[in-house]
Amino acid sequence: MIKIFSTDKIKELDQYTILHEPISSIDLVERAATMFLHEFCRRYSKQHRIVVFAGQGNNGADALAISRLLADESYRVETYLFNPTGHLSVDCETNKQRLLAMDRIEFTEVVADFIPPTLGKHDVVIDGLFGSGLNRPLTGGFAGVVSYINQAEATVVSIDVPSGLFGEDNRTNETQAIIQADLTLTFGFPKLAFLLPENAQYTGEWKVLDIGLHPDIVGNTPTPYSMITEEDMNLVFRPRPKFAHKGTFGHALLIAGSRGKLGSSVLSAKACLRTGAGLLTVHVPQCGEVVFQTAFPGAMLNFDSHQEFFTSSPDVSSYDAIGVGPGIGQRLETGAALERLLQSVTRPVVMDADALNIVASNKDLLLRIPQRSILTPHPKEFDRLAGESASGYERLMKAQSFAQEYKLCIVLKGAYTAICTPTGKVFFNSTGNPGMATAGSGDVLTGIILGLLSQGYEPETAAVAGVFLHGTAGDLAAACHSEESMLSGDIIEMLGKAFKQIKY
């Protein structure tokens, strides 16, 4: 797992590294600048003019070191150091003197009036005005500089964080005073703000650069937030015993579908068995018989008493895992059947789509959901459950709190799907792509998680691994079909390759 620390904790990690590696503060700045240089040179040729904007603090120290290193690599670099108070941090002052000691530099220290350079579309701006420690909106001259950069046609690369962006909560920030970067090269760890939809316009593409912070402090510093990696997942999926049989891998029950929405039940069913469940029974209305026998004969069927939708809860005692919701609709009879189902189950269930919407309209049902059950809402579905949110940050905080209050796993779907656990931990997914924003993709995820749960994986593990597997298959599908053309069924077809990629 890649830990995600709050910005105040990152300062502590830096200080511990300085004391215990040991390494001087200025040498840690040099290490960070060197890592930035390597990534920057890989992406941008010497045909570009580089214009560096440095602030007075340690982000400015990084920027001045990068200016010097780029000049050493024969890039044409113009550097502007903004120092309106006449006071620089120690490392910023040191790197200013190092830069001034070079021959043929283009350096301007801005103390009062700023005469901005003309920025064209072939120029690259390196933004080093403010770092991750900022805790109040930019105003005055600095806000003016940000506005000037944002209005230019130049490519913008930010050091650590786009200037003006807070590391976590930006609800009180002034959005017009935040750099809109094309690329953010951040040090050590992702920042929580990078994972929230409202901040994508500021971060652009982002990449984490390892600057060698001390492993002891990184390992021993707690944080509720982390990002899932492939290395984590290849330790999760269990090998299959030589003498296994279909009963070894569990019998799943999927309650899904209604007239006109049987496709969602087929997608979930296929994904469940593709993920390794030994047996699957799908409870469908009677109109689903021909559809399933034709489209997916691998699933067994249990028929509702109604011809067209879910009205009767089946006996669940013989099943290892239960999933409910895709395509069931929200009729009164269906809501009553869902309530009876929740009264009869004692183990965690997977709930999605219409099941969540039914619960949202009858909040008393939340107390009937077995603890550690897995709910997989998209943002609007979650808002119906927990109330409207004005930002992704607010929604994430609500989901984290909601999971703890009701002892549930909340899979808050999105670009970096957040899995919030009953213990307060949040795992962000690192796989997937915009092509997965297509009809039925959520139904596939429900089937994947159900398949893992039926095989005996713990609910939290099934949720985290299921989301990662879903995203990996989506990435493979996009590579094959393109983001524009991929369908949810393509994700299912790539599950086998996804397992191979993760496990081997």
PDB file of all heavy atoms in Angstrom, residues 233-245:
ATOM      1  N   MET A 233      -1.933  -6.692  -4.295  1.00  0.00           N
ATOM      2  CA  MET A 233      -2.956  -7.623  -4.758  1.00  0.00           C
ATOM      3  C   MET A 233      -2.395  -8.999  -5.108  1.00  0.00           C
ATOM      4  O   MET A 233      -3.088 -10.006  -4.947  1.00  0.00           O
ATOM      5  CB  MET A 233      -3.685  -7.039  -5.969  1.00  0.00           C
ATOM      6  CG  MET A 233      -4.604  -5.876  -5.636  1.00  0.00           C
ATOM      7  SD  MET A 233      -5.939  -6.318  -4.472  1.00  0.00           S
ATOM      8  CE  MET A 233      -5.278  -5.657  -2.929  1.00  0.00           C
ATOM      9  N   ASN A 234      -1.143  -9.071  -5.573  1.00  0.00           N
ATOM     10  CA  ASN A 234      -0.658 -10.410  -5.937  1.00  0.00           C
ATOM     11  C   ASN A 234      -0.378 -11.267  -4.710  1.00  0.00           C
ATOM     12  O   ASN A 234      -0.117 -12.463  -4.823  1.00  0.00           O
ATOM     13  CB  ASN A 234       0.561 -10.350  -6.876  1.00  0.00           C
ATOM     14  CG  ASN A 234       1.769  -9.672  -6.250  1.00  0.00           C
ATOM     15  OD1 ASN A 234       1.986  -9.725  -5.052  1.00  0.00           O
ATOM     16  ND2 ASN A 234       2.566  -9.033  -7.095  1.00  0.00           N
ATOM     17  N   LEU A 235      -0.463 -10.673  -3.528  1.00  0.00           N
ATOM     18  CA  LEU A 235      -0.375 -11.438  -2.285  1.00  0.00           C
ATOM     19  C   LEU A 235      -1.747 -11.844  -1.763  1.00  0.00           C
ATOM     20  O   LEU A 235      -1.850 -12.649  -0.841  1.00  0.00           O
ATOM     21  CB  LEU A 235       0.356 -10.609  -1.216  1.00  0.00           C
ATOM     22  CG  LEU A 235       1.787 -10.183  -1.546  1.00  0.00           C
ATOM     23  CD1 LEU A 235       2.318  -9.249  -0.467  1.00  0.00           C
ATOM     24  CD2 LEU A 235       2.687 -11.394  -1.708  1.00  0.00           C
ATOM     25  N   VAL A 236      -2.800 -11.276  -2.353  1.00  0.00           N
ATOM     26  CA  VAL A 236      -4.156 -11.483  -1.836  1.00  0.00           C
ATOM     27  C   VAL A 236      -4.814 -12.714  -2.449  1.00  0.00           C
ATOM     28  O   VAL A 236      -5.403 -13.542  -1.741  1.00  0.00           O
ATOM     29  CB  VAL A 236      -5.026 -10.231  -2.102  1.00  0.00           C
ATOM     30  CG1 VAL A 236      -6.505 -10.539  -1.881  1.00  0.00           C
ATOM     31  CG2 VAL A 236      -4.592  -9.091  -1.194  1.00  0.00           C
ATOM     32  N   PHE A 237      -4.733 -12.852  -3.769  1.00  0.00           N
ATOM     33  CA  PHE A 237      -5.457 -13.933  -4.440  1.00  0.00           C
ATOM     34  C   PHE A 237      -4.816 -15.286  -4.123  1.00  0.00           C
ATOM     35  O   PHE A 237      -3.624 -15.495  -4.349  1.00  0.00           O
ATOM     36  CB  PHE A 237      -5.508 -13.682  -5.942  1.00  0.00           C
ATOM     37  CG  PHE A 237      -6.331 -12.484  -6.305  1.00  0.00           C
ATOM     38  CD1 PHE A 237      -5.760 -11.383  -6.922  1.00  0.00           C
ATOM     39  CD2 PHE A 237      -7.685 -12.439  -6.019  1.00  0.00           C
ATOM     40  CE1 PHE A 237      -6.523 -10.271  -7.249  1.00  0.00           C
ATOM     41  CE2 PHE A 237      -8.458 -11.333  -6.344  1.00  0.00           C
ATOM     42  CZ  PHE A 237      -7.872 -10.252  -6.952  1.00  0.00           C
ATOM     43  N   ARG A 238      -5.628 -16.198  -3.622  1.00  0.00           N
ATOM     44  CA  ARG A 238      -5.128 -17.482  -3.149  1.00  0.00           C
ATOM     45  C   ARG A 238      -4.973 -18.476  -4.296  1.00  0.00           C
ATOM     46  O   ARG A 238      -5.799 -18.506  -5.216  1.00  0.00           O
ATOM     47  CB  ARG A 238      -6.097 -18.054  -2.109  1.00  0.00           C
ATOM     48  CG  ARG A 238      -6.295 -17.162  -0.894  1.00  0.00           C
ATOM     49  CD  ARG A 238      -7.094 -17.889   0.170  1.00  0.00           C
ATOM     50  NE  ARG A 238      -8.480 -18.094  -0.230  1.00  0.00           N
ATOM     51  CZ  ARG A 238      -9.501 -17.442   0.287  1.00  0.00           C
ATOM     52  NH1 ARG A 238      -9.299 -16.517   1.212  1.00  0.00           N
ATOM     53  NH2 ARG A 238     -10.737 -17.703  -0.104  1.00  0.00           N
ATOM     54  N   PRO A 239      -3.951 -19.334  -4.239  1.00  0.00           N
ATOM     55  CA  PRO A 239      -3.846 -20.408  -5.255  1.00  0.00           C
ATOM     56  C   PRO A 239      -4.959 -21.428  -5.057  1.00  0.00           C
ATOM     57  O   PRO A 239      -5.456 -21.622  -3.935  1.00  0.00           O
ATOM     58  CB  PRO A 239      -2.467 -21.019  -4.976  1.00  0.00           C
ATOM     59  CG  PRO A 239      -2.190 -20.700  -3.540  1.00  0.00           C
ATOM     60  CD  PRO A 239      -2.841 -19.363  -3.279  1.00  0.00           C
ATOM     61  N   ARG A 240      -5.335 -22.073  -6.132  1.00  0.00           N
ATOM     62  CA  ARG A 240      -6.419 -23.062  -6.056  1.00  0.00           C
ATOM     63  C   ARG A 240      -5.844 -24.447  -5.749  1.00  0.00           C
ATOM     64  O   ARG A 240      -4.902 -24.888  -6.410  1.00  0.00           O
ATOM     65  CB  ARG A 240      -7.193 -23.096  -7.378  1.00  0.00           C
ATOM     66  CG  ARG A 240      -7.951 -21.786  -7.631  1.00  0.00           C
ATOM     67  CD  ARG A 240      -9.051 -21.973  -8.649  1.00  0.00           C
ATOM     68  NE  ARG A 240     -10.130 -21.029  -8.362  1.00  0.00           N
ATOM     69  CZ  ARG A 240     -11.364 -21.152  -8.788  1.00  0.00           C
ATOM     70  NH1 ARG A 240     -11.709 -22.185  -9.527  1.00  0.00           N
ATOM     71  NH2 ARG A 240     -12.277 -20.253  -8.488  1.00  0.00           N
ATOM     72  N   PRO A 241      -6.407 -25.129  -4.755  1.00  0.00           N
ATOM     73  CA  PRO A 241      -5.903 -26.461  -4.409  1.00  0.00           C
ATOM     74  C   PRO A 241      -6.049 -27.444  -5.571  1.00  0.00           C
ATOM     75  O   PRO A 241      -7.004 -27.372  -6.352  1.00  0.00           O
ATOM     76  CB  PRO A 241      -6.783 -26.883  -3.223  1.00  0.00           C
ATOM     77  CG  PRO A 241      -7.362 -25.615  -2.687  1.00  0.00           C
ATOM     78  CD  PRO A 241      -7.501 -24.700  -3.861  1.00  0.00           C
ATOM     79  N   LYS A 242      -5.115 -28.377  -5.652  1.00  0.00           N
ATOM     80  CA  LYS A 242      -5.105 -29.366  -6.727  1.00  0.00           C
ATOM     81  C   LYS A 242      -6.405 -30.166  -6.768  1.00  0.00           C
ATOM     82  O   LYS A 242      -6.946 -30.457  -7.844  1.00  0.00           O
ATOM     83  CB  LYS A 242      -3.922 -30.319  -6.524  1.00  0.00           C
ATOM     84  CG  LYS A 242      -3.770 -31.387  -7.582  1.00  0.00           C
ATOM     85  CD  LYS A 242      -3.195 -30.836  -8.856  1.00  0.00           C
ATOM     86  CE  LYS A 242      -2.850 -31.961  -9.829  1.00  0.00           C
ATOM     87  NZ  LYS A 242      -2.330 -31.421 -11.113  1.00  0.00           N
ATOM     88  N   PHE A 243      -6.930 -30.549  -5.620  1.00  0.00           N
ATOM     89  CA  PHE A 243      -8.107 -31.414  -5.570  1.00  0.00           C
ATOM     90  C   PHE A 243      -9.377 -30.626  -5.255  1.00  0.00           C
ATOM     91  O   PHE A 243     -10.328 -31.172  -4.679  1.00  0.00           O
ATOM     92  CB  PHE A 243      -7.892 -32.534  -4.548  1.00  0.00           C
ATOM     93  CG  PHE A 243      -6.844 -33.524  -4.987  1.00  0.00           C
ATOM     94  CD1 PHE A 243      -5.533 -33.403  -4.539  1.00  0.00           C
ATOM     95  CD2 PHE A 243      -7.149 -34.543  -5.869  1.00  0.00           C
ATOM     96  CE1 PHE A 243      -4.558 -34.292  -4.952  1.00  0.00           C
ATOM     97  CE2 PHE A 243      -6.182 -35.439  -6.299  1.00  0.00           C
ATOM     98  CZ  PHE A 243      -4.869 -35.308  -5.843  1.00  0.00           C
ATOM     99  N   ALA A 244      -9.399 -29.374  -5.638  1.00  0.00           N
ATOM    100  CA  ALA A 244     -10.591 -28.548  -5.418  1.00  0.00           C
ATOM    101  C   ALA A 244     -11.730 -29.005  -6.323  1.00  0.00           C
ATOM    102  O   ALA A 244     -11.515 -29.615  -7.375  1.00  0.00           O
ATOM    103  CB  ALA A 244     -10.260 -27.092  -5.702  1.00  0.00           C
ATOM    104  N   HIS A 245     -12.948 -28.723  -5.895  1.00  0.00           N
ATOM    105  CA  HIS A 245     -14.131 -28.939  -6.727  1.00  0.00           C
ATOM    106  C   HIS A 245     -14.981 -27.681  -6.642  1.00  0.00           C
ATOM    107  O   HIS A 245     -14.661 -26.751  -5.882  1.00  0.00           O
ATOM    108  CB  HIS A 245     -14.913 -30.184  -6.279  1.00  0.00           C
ATOM    109  CG  HIS A 245     -15.259 -30.175  -4.822  1.00  0.00           C
ATOM    110  ND1 HIS A 245     -16.367 -29.509  -4.309  1.00  0.00           N
ATOM    111  CD2 HIS A 245     -14.627 -30.722  -3.747  1.00  0.00           C
ATOM    112  CE1 HIS A 245     -16.407 -29.663  -3.010  1.00  0.00           C
ATOM    113  NE2 HIS A 245     -15.374 -30.391  -2.634  1.00  0.00           N
TER     114      HIS A 245
END
